[in-house]
Amino acid sequence: MDELKASAKPFDISKQEVWDAWVKVRGNKGSSGVDGVSIEMFEKDLKNNLYKVWNRMSSGTYFPPDVKAVPIPKGGGGIRVLGVPTVLA
């Protein structure tokens, strides 16, 4: 597992942690966020896209993008706002 650890990066984030997070995101089967990138589109270049996310996170240059606000009607009246994050950071 040590070979998956970042070297000479300010944040110690393993590629395995990024992979595990991806598995959870994919498992949610959600819709695309404000960037319009679906899970299927992200998977077309999965290795490169996950590398980019890992590289940005471990180097400290990752900043989460805006979240898409989706109004969800509540059963008893009113609205709850659901935040849909982007897949491709």
Side-chain angles (χ1 to χ4, degrees):
M1 205 46 89
D2 287 336
E3 68 276 1
L4 295 177
K5 287 289 184 184
S7 60
K9 296 278 190 177
F11 296 96
D12 191 23
I13 298 171
S14 73
K15 292 178 182 175
Q16 183 65 49
E17 289 171 307
V18 174
W19 175 257
D20 293 343
W22 163 247
V23 170
K24 288 180 183 181
V25 167
R26 186 179 60 200
N28 287 336
K29 300 178 183 174
S31 64
S32 59
V34 294
D35 63 354
V37 177
S38 68
I39 290 174
E40 293 79 20
M41 292 166 68
F42 187 86
E43 285 184 312
K44 288 182 180 178
D45 193 13
L46 184 61
K47 185 176 180 179
N48 188 44
N49 286 330
L50 290 178
Y51 176 80
K52 287 178 189 177
V53 171
W54 168 79
N55 191 42
R56 290 180 194 153
M57 290 179 75
S58 61
S59 67
T61 61
Y62 174 82
F63 296 97
D66 293 335
V67 174
K68 181 179 179 181
V70 178
I72 306 292
K74 293 175 74 173
I79 294 179
R80 177 175 76 93
V81 177
L82 176 69
V84 180
T86 60
V87 177
L88 183 59

